[in-house]
Amino acid sequence: MAKEANLDKKGNIWGGDRQPFGVSYGKQMMWFFLLSDALSFSGFLTAMGLYRFKYEDTWPVAENVFTHFPFMHGDAPLLFVALMTFILILSSVTMVMAVNAGHQMNKKGVIFWMGLTIIGGFMFLGSQAWEWYHFISGDKGAVQLENLDVMYLSDMDGKIMTLHELVEGKPGVHGEHYHFTTEEVRSAFASNNDVTIRTPGKTELTVERAEALKLMAKANVIQGANLTSNEYGHVLFADFFFFVTGFHGTHVFSGVLLNIIIFINVIIGTYEKRGHYEMIEKVGLYWHFVDLVWVFVFTFFYLV
Amino acid sequence: MAHSNLPSEHHESPEGTWWIWKVFIILLVVTTVEVVLGIIKPEILMGQFLGTSILNVIFILLTLLKAFYIVAEFMHLKFEKKNFMWTIALPMLILIPYLTFIVLSEGGYMGDFIREAIK
């Protein structure tokens, strides 16, 4: 029907009183906002790429950083973030189902699927808080040299050794947090001839034992990560992690708020009175965009 | 105000819900493949290609595949009128690869420069 109308006045499609793009004002503006937001996120991710290429030797390797999974002992890289991805994709699916129910003017269906989407959003935010908690509290522990380079302790072949393994001689319980003083680590390092230090990056350069002893005399223990120090490697990695996943998390949070507002509007019948459920499509676009950004964050923080 | 509440004139989308689950299965399978590859890191995929490992190139291609399905199907861009679809898609398809190319080239140069300086 819309097509026929366009053919009739083909010469006058931009002349007003019609939608040249075939989308309503609100939906079109949501798309333009998402376009600009996509460019913002690509700016952040490419900036991270620049520093990663610049500091290749000290840039952390994701599988040494994100190793925890709830109720599981031992290293489980990627599993938790895969779960988070699954939660977000699933909540995208429930959002499409809500939009679909809206097209059929099925109020109960919209309430059901929107409700599930909101629950999915909260589950994702909870998972992200858990992920941040473990990132901030630290895992293996490392040392920071006088020139501020962060180094892992390792055996002569470059296999990473945790502070607990060095000081206590055996691995600690995974997920427990231990604290060691610089003196403890320095003296344990001096008395164990099979230990050296290595760069945290994928190049895994180990330092000669004699050289390492000299460097260790002025090195400090570093545990956990924040905006100014980072046990996993270059501090910019932590900064980008907090900034990009935090910015994405803020998007998820505001998406959940928008979803809740629309959810309440659906319940009190605002869109039923209006005669269409297009508002669900608009917040749906935003929600899918959040999922889209996560797909890229997942790749560039955890996989590549 | 009443005018801005008008729904979109153009509407085309597949019937039923089967297509939603189809896209869901695709996204799920692609993510699973990525995670499995990320955990085992097969030795044959560690060769260098385009300045990074073949595995990383595969990861990026799979990511773009997922992005395509999310934007085209879930966000319905595939079903919008062609002029609107390209208005949204072209700036992203041109600007993002362009930005990535310049910024990463610069980063690679800076890295080489630092490694030379240390030697």
Side-chain angles (χ1 to χ4, degrees):
Chain A
M1 212 173 78
K3 239 179 194 151
E4 278 170 14
N6 288 341
L7 282 174
D8 287 346
K9 302 177 193 169
K10 202 169 184 182
N12 201 19
I13 189 171
W14 296 92
D17 267 350
R18 58 175 56 239
Q19 300 170 346
F21 281 146
V23 285
S24 65
Y25 176 79
K27 205 165 147 183
Q28 188 180 329
M29 290 306 130
M30 178 55 91
W31 265 112
F32 287 161
F33 164 67
L34 295 182
L35 174 58
S36 70
D37 219 16
L39 295 176
S40 306
F41 270 107
S42 63
F44 302 149
L45 285 174
T46 47
M48 182 178 80
L50 181 139
Y51 284 109
R52 177 186 168 142
F53 278 29
K54 182 174 176 183
Y55 299 116
E56 209 170 17
D57 291 336
T58 48
W59 202 258
V61 177
E63 62 178 9
N64 294 330
V65 181
F66 309 102
T67 60
H68 299 277
F69 196 88
F71 312 115
M72 243 174 87
H73 295 292
D75 277 4
L78 276 179
L79 279 191
F80 189 66
V81 74
L83 177 72
M84 287 167 75
T85 308
F86 175 73
I87 292 170
L88 210 54
I89 290 177
L90 205 57
S91 82
S92 244
V93 170
T94 57
M95 192 77 208
V96 189
M97 297 298 277
V99 171
N100 203 60
H103 284 161
Q104 295 153 3
M105 297 299 287
N106 172 4
K107 183 176 167 181
K108 277 211 178 102
V110 177
I111 292 174
F112 176 73
W113 292 110
M114 280 294 283
L116 286 185
T117 309
I118 292 167
I119 293 171
F122 277 121
M123 280 173 72
F124 182 84
L125 286 171
S127 310
Q128 203 163 36
W130 194 88
E131 181 90 338
W132 272 45
Y133 165 74
H134 280 278
F135 184 78
I136 292 170
S137 11
D139 184 18
K140 301 178 175 72
V143 289
Q144 188 162 34
L145 307 183
E146 203 185 8
N147 68 357
L148 300 183
D149 274 359
V150 173
M151 293 279 182
Y152 274 127
L153 298 162
S154 76
D155 64 13
M156 292 302 167
D157 301 324
K159 190 177 168 293
I160 301 173
M161 187 177 256
T162 64
L163 292 184
H164 195 278
E165 280 168 344
L166 176 72
V167 177
E168 309 282 340
K170 60 181 194 310
V173 179
H174 200 77
E176 288 285 321
H177 300 295
Y178 305 95
H179 287 278
F180 300 102
T181 64
T182 297
E183 283 67 37
E184 280 177 322
V185 171
R186 275 189 197 158
S187 68
F189 188 87
S191 60
N192 187 342
N193 281 323
D194 297 327
V195 191
T196 184
I197 51 178
R198 59 156 266 210
T199 58
K202 63 176 180 185
T203 46
E204 301 189 7
L205 307 169
T206 49
V207 179
E208 294 270 341
R209 167 80 185 163
E211 177 73 15
L213 262 176
K214 257 186 257 166
L215 290 170
M216 279 299 286
K218 286 176 181 165
N220 286 307
V221 164
I222 177 169
Q223 287 185 284
N226 54 47
L227 290 172
T228 53
S229 72
N230 172 17
E231 69 156 48
Y232 309 101
H234 203 282
V235 66
L236 277 172
F237 178 84
D239 296 345
F240 274 108
F241 178 78
F242 289 127
F243 185 61
V244 178
T245 64
F247 200 62
H248 175 264
T250 312
H251 275 73
V252 179
F253 181 67
S254 52
V256 171
L257 289 187
L258 287 175
N259 282 349
I260 290 174
I261 294 169
I262 303 305
F263 183 68
I264 293 168
N265 277 341
V266 173
I267 290 175
I268 61 179
T270 309
Y271 307 121
E272 192 115 302
K273 266 180 249 146
R274 194 176 285 177
H276 60 85
Y277 278 85
E278 202 179 67
M279 197 55 98
I280 312 289
E281 286 181 51
K282 293 174 203 164
V283 291
L285 283 176
Y286 185 76
W287 192 251
H288 296 312
F289 176 74
V290 164
D291 187 19
L292 177 68
V293 171
W294 181 254
V295 164
F296 284 91
V297 170
F298 173 60
T299 301
F300 293 114
F301 271 98
Y302 297 90
L303 286 178
V304 169
Chain B
M1 208 44 219
H3 198 254
S4 66
N5 280 339
L6 285 180
S8 301
E9 284 171 7
H10 181 77
H11 234 12
E12 263 180 61
S13 61
E15 290 295 310
T17 57
W18 65 270
W19 63 275
I20 302 175
W21 297 107
K22 186 194 88 179
V23 176
F24 171 62
I25 297 293
I26 292 171
L27 294 176
L28 196 63
V29 168
V30 172
T31 307
T32 311
V33 169
E34 284 180 332
V35 170
V36 170
L37 283 179
I39 290 174
I40 57 176
K41 291 195 185 237
E43 205 51 50
I44 42 165
L45 297 178
M46 298 316 272
Q48 290 292 302
F49 183 63
L50 292 176
T52 181
S53 65
I54 298 169
L55 185 64
N56 284 353
V57 175
I58 292 174
F59 282 148
I60 291 167
L61 289 178
L62 290 176
T63 303
L64 293 176
L65 181 73
K66 281 202 285 187
F68 170 79
Y69 275 105
I70 292 172
V71 175
E73 303 275 356
F74 281 179
M75 296 172 92
H76 260 263
L77 197 59
K78 203 168 98 182
F79 306 102
E80 303 291 355
K81 281 171 75 171
K82 287 285 171 289
N83 58 1
F84 186 65
M85 189 188 94
W86 289 112
T87 301
I88 298 298
L90 272 184
M92 293 206 223
L93 292 177
I94 295 170
L95 293 176
I96 296 177
Y98 178 50
L99 181 76
T100 309
F101 168 71
I102 323 178
V103 172
L104 293 190
S105 310
E106 182 68 16
Y109 168 76
M110 288 163 132
D112 290 342
F113 187 81
I114 286 185
R115 276 184 289 277
E116 280 303 309
I118 291 175
K119 271 179 203 164

Short mmCIF file of all heavy atoms in Angstrom, two decimals, chain A residues 183-212:
data_model
loop_
_atom_site.label_atom_id
_atom_site.label_comp_id
_atom_site.label_asym_id
_atom_site.label_seq_id
_atom_site.Cartn_x
_atom_site.Cartn_y
_atom_site.Cartn_z
N GLU A 183 58.59 -7.29 50.89
CA GLU A 183 59.71 -7.97 51.54
C GLU A 183 59.60 -9.48 51.41
O GLU A 183 60.56 -10.16 51.06
CB GLU A 183 59.81 -7.58 53.03
CG GLU A 183 60.40 -6.21 53.30
CD GLU A 183 59.51 -5.08 52.80
OE1 GLU A 183 58.28 -5.21 52.91
OE2 GLU A 183 60.05 -4.08 52.28
N GLU A 184 58.40 -10.02 51.70
CA GLU A 184 58.17 -11.47 51.59
C GLU A 184 58.52 -11.97 50.19
O GLU A 184 59.22 -12.97 50.04
CB GLU A 184 56.68 -11.79 51.83
CG GLU A 184 56.25 -11.83 53.27
CD GLU A 184 54.74 -12.08 53.38
OE1 GLU A 184 53.97 -11.54 52.56
OE2 GLU A 184 54.35 -12.81 54.28
N VAL A 185 58.03 -11.23 49.18
CA VAL A 185 58.22 -11.67 47.81
C VAL A 185 59.69 -11.55 47.40
O VAL A 185 60.26 -12.47 46.80
CB VAL A 185 57.32 -10.87 46.85
CG1 VAL A 185 57.65 -11.16 45.41
CG2 VAL A 185 55.86 -11.20 47.12
N ARG A 186 60.34 -10.45 47.80
CA ARG A 186 61.75 -10.27 47.45
C ARG A 186 62.62 -11.37 48.06
O ARG A 186 63.47 -11.95 47.39
CB ARG A 186 62.25 -8.92 47.94
CG ARG A 186 61.96 -7.78 46.99
CD ARG A 186 62.66 -6.52 47.45
NE ARG A 186 62.11 -5.34 46.82
CZ ARG A 186 62.23 -4.12 47.33
NH1 ARG A 186 62.85 -3.93 48.48
NH2 ARG A 186 61.73 -3.09 46.70
N SER A 187 62.38 -11.70 49.35
CA SER A 187 63.24 -12.70 49.99
C SER A 187 62.96 -14.08 49.41
O SER A 187 63.88 -14.87 49.19
CB SER A 187 63.07 -12.67 51.51
OG SER A 187 61.79 -13.14 51.85
N ALA A 188 61.67 -14.40 49.14
CA ALA A 188 61.36 -15.70 48.53
C ALA A 188 61.98 -15.79 47.14
O ALA A 188 62.48 -16.85 46.73
CB ALA A 188 59.85 -15.89 48.44
N PHE A 189 61.99 -14.67 46.42
CA PHE A 189 62.56 -14.64 45.08
C PHE A 189 64.07 -14.89 45.14
O PHE A 189 64.63 -15.65 44.36
CB PHE A 189 62.28 -13.29 44.43
CG PHE A 189 62.65 -13.22 42.97
CD1 PHE A 189 61.76 -13.63 42.00
CD2 PHE A 189 63.91 -12.77 42.58
CE1 PHE A 189 62.10 -13.57 40.66
CE2 PHE A 189 64.26 -12.72 41.24
CZ PHE A 189 63.35 -13.12 40.28
N ALA A 190 64.74 -14.25 46.14
CA ALA A 190 66.20 -14.38 46.25
C ALA A 190 66.58 -15.81 46.60
O ALA A 190 67.63 -16.31 46.17
CB ALA A 190 66.71 -13.40 47.30
N SER A 191 65.74 -16.51 47.41
CA SER A 191 66.14 -17.84 47.87
C SER A 191 65.74 -18.95 46.92
O SER A 191 66.10 -20.10 47.12
CB SER A 191 65.55 -18.09 49.26
OG SER A 191 64.15 -18.03 49.18
N ASN A 192 64.99 -18.66 45.89
CA ASN A 192 64.56 -19.70 44.95
C ASN A 192 65.23 -19.47 43.58
O ASN A 192 64.90 -18.53 42.87
CB ASN A 192 63.04 -19.66 44.81
CG ASN A 192 62.52 -20.83 43.98
OD1 ASN A 192 63.28 -21.46 43.25
ND2 ASN A 192 61.25 -21.11 44.12
N ASN A 193 66.19 -20.36 43.24
CA ASN A 193 66.99 -20.13 42.04
C ASN A 193 66.27 -20.45 40.73
O ASN A 193 66.80 -20.16 39.66
CB ASN A 193 68.28 -20.95 42.12
CG ASN A 193 69.29 -20.28 43.03
OD1 ASN A 193 69.39 -19.05 43.05
ND2 ASN A 193 69.99 -21.07 43.81
N ASP A 194 65.11 -21.06 40.81
CA ASP A 194 64.40 -21.44 39.58
C ASP A 194 63.36 -20.41 39.17
O ASP A 194 62.49 -20.70 38.36
CB ASP A 194 63.72 -22.80 39.76
CG ASP A 194 64.75 -23.88 40.00
OD1 ASP A 194 65.85 -23.75 39.43
OD2 ASP A 194 64.46 -24.80 40.78
N VAL A 195 63.40 -19.23 39.76
CA VAL A 195 62.38 -18.23 39.46
C VAL A 195 63.00 -17.03 38.75
O VAL A 195 64.13 -16.64 39.05
CB VAL A 195 61.69 -17.73 40.75
CG1 VAL A 195 60.47 -16.91 40.41
CG2 VAL A 195 61.32 -18.88 41.63
N THR A 196 62.24 -16.50 37.80
CA THR A 196 62.66 -15.26 37.16
C THR A 196 61.42 -14.41 36.90
O THR A 196 60.35 -14.71 37.43
CB THR A 196 63.46 -15.55 35.87
OG1 THR A 196 63.93 -14.32 35.35
CG2 THR A 196 62.60 -16.24 34.84
N ILE A 197 61.56 -13.37 36.12
CA ILE A 197 60.38 -12.57 35.76
C ILE A 197 60.23 -12.55 34.25
O ILE A 197 61.21 -12.71 33.52
CB ILE A 197 60.48 -11.12 36.31
CG1 ILE A 197 61.81 -10.48 35.93
CG2 ILE A 197 60.30 -11.10 37.81
CD1 ILE A 197 61.96 -9.05 36.40
N ARG A 198 59.00 -12.35 33.80
CA ARG A 198 58.75 -12.29 32.35
C ARG A 198 57.72 -11.21 32.04
O ARG A 198 56.95 -10.79 32.91
CB ARG A 198 58.26 -13.63 31.81
CG ARG A 198 56.99 -14.15 32.44
CD ARG A 198 56.27 -15.10 31.51
NE ARG A 198 55.28 -14.37 30.74
CZ ARG A 198 54.15 -14.94 30.31
NH1 ARG A 198 53.91 -16.21 30.52
NH2 ARG A 198 53.27 -14.23 29.61
N THR A 199 57.71 -10.77 30.79
CA THR A 199 56.74 -9.75 30.38
C THR A 199 55.36 -10.39 30.31
O THR A 199 55.23 -11.56 29.98
CB THR A 199 57.09 -9.16 29.01
OG1 THR A 199 57.14 -10.23 28.07
CG2 THR A 199 58.41 -8.43 29.05
N PRO A 200 54.31 -9.63 30.64
CA PRO A 200 52.96 -10.19 30.62
C PRO A 200 52.36 -10.32 29.22
O PRO A 200 51.36 -11.00 29.03
CB PRO A 200 52.15 -9.20 31.45
CG PRO A 200 52.88 -7.92 31.38
CD PRO A 200 54.32 -8.25 31.17
N GLY A 201 52.97 -9.69 28.23
CA GLY A 201 52.40 -9.70 26.88
C GLY A 201 52.56 -11.03 26.18
O GLY A 201 53.17 -11.96 26.69
N LYS A 202 52.02 -11.12 24.95
CA LYS A 202 52.04 -12.40 24.24
C LYS A 202 53.44 -12.75 23.76
O LYS A 202 53.70 -13.90 23.39
CB LYS A 202 51.05 -12.38 23.08
CG LYS A 202 51.37 -11.36 22.01
CD LYS A 202 50.42 -11.45 20.85
CE LYS A 202 50.78 -10.41 19.81
NZ LYS A 202 49.86 -10.33 18.70
N THR A 203 54.37 -11.78 23.79
CA THR A 203 55.74 -12.11 23.38
C THR A 203 56.47 -12.92 24.44
O THR A 203 57.45 -13.59 24.13
CB THR A 203 56.53 -10.82 23.07
OG1 THR A 203 56.31 -9.89 24.13
CG2 THR A 203 56.08 -10.20 21.78
N GLU A 204 56.01 -12.88 25.71
CA GLU A 204 56.52 -13.72 26.80
C GLU A 204 58.04 -13.71 26.91
O GLU A 204 58.68 -14.75 26.95
CB GLU A 204 56.03 -15.17 26.64
CG GLU A 204 54.52 -15.28 26.63
CD GLU A 204 54.03 -16.72 26.70
OE1 GLU A 204 54.87 -17.63 26.90
OE2 GLU A 204 52.82 -16.92 26.55
N LEU A 205 58.63 -12.52 26.99
CA LEU A 205 60.09 -12.45 27.10
C LEU A 205 60.51 -12.68 28.55
O LEU A 205 60.11 -11.94 29.44
CB LEU A 205 60.56 -11.06 26.65
CG LEU A 205 60.08 -10.60 25.28
CD1 LEU A 205 60.38 -9.11 25.07
CD2 LEU A 205 60.72 -11.43 24.19
N THR A 206 61.35 -13.70 28.79
CA THR A 206 61.84 -13.92 30.15
C THR A 206 63.17 -13.18 30.34
O THR A 206 63.94 -13.00 29.40
CB THR A 206 62.05 -15.41 30.46
OG1 THR A 206 62.80 -15.97 29.39
CG2 THR A 206 60.75 -16.14 30.63
N VAL A 207 63.42 -12.77 31.59
CA VAL A 207 64.63 -12.04 31.92
C VAL A 207 65.62 -13.01 32.54
O VAL A 207 65.24 -13.95 33.24
CB VAL A 207 64.28 -10.90 32.92
CG1 VAL A 207 65.51 -10.12 33.33
CG2 VAL A 207 63.24 -9.98 32.32
N GLU A 208 66.92 -12.83 32.24
CA GLU A 208 67.97 -13.67 32.85
C GLU A 208 67.89 -13.58 34.37
O GLU A 208 67.63 -12.51 34.91
CB GLU A 208 69.35 -13.15 32.41
CG GLU A 208 69.63 -13.29 30.94
CD GLU A 208 70.29 -14.61 30.61
OE1 GLU A 208 70.83 -15.24 31.55
OE2 GLU A 208 70.25 -15.01 29.44
N ARG A 209 68.17 -14.71 35.06
CA ARG A 209 68.05 -14.76 36.51
C ARG A 209 68.89 -13.66 37.20
O ARG A 209 68.40 -12.96 38.10
CB ARG A 209 68.49 -16.15 36.99
CG ARG A 209 68.73 -16.29 38.46
CD ARG A 209 67.46 -16.46 39.24
NE ARG A 209 67.75 -16.48 40.67
CZ ARG A 209 66.86 -16.30 41.63
NH1 ARG A 209 65.61 -16.08 41.31
NH2 ARG A 209 67.21 -16.34 42.89
N ALA A 210 70.14 -13.46 36.78
CA ALA A 210 71.00 -12.48 37.43
C ALA A 210 70.44 -11.07 37.27
O ALA A 210 70.39 -10.29 38.22
CB ALA A 210 72.41 -12.55 36.83
N GLU A 211 69.99 -10.79 36.04
CA GLU A 211 69.38 -9.49 35.75
C GLU A 211 68.10 -9.30 36.57
O GLU A 211 67.86 -8.24 37.14
CB GLU A 211 69.07 -9.44 34.23
CG GLU A 211 68.37 -8.21 33.74
CD GLU A 211 69.28 -6.99 33.70
OE1 GLU A 211 70.51 -7.16 33.79
OE2 GLU A 211 68.73 -5.87 33.59
N ALA A 212 67.30 -10.40 36.64
CA ALA A 212 66.04 -10.34 37.37
C ALA A 212 66.27 -10.02 38.84
O ALA A 212 65.52 -9.26 39.45
CB ALA A 212 65.29 -11.66 37.22
#
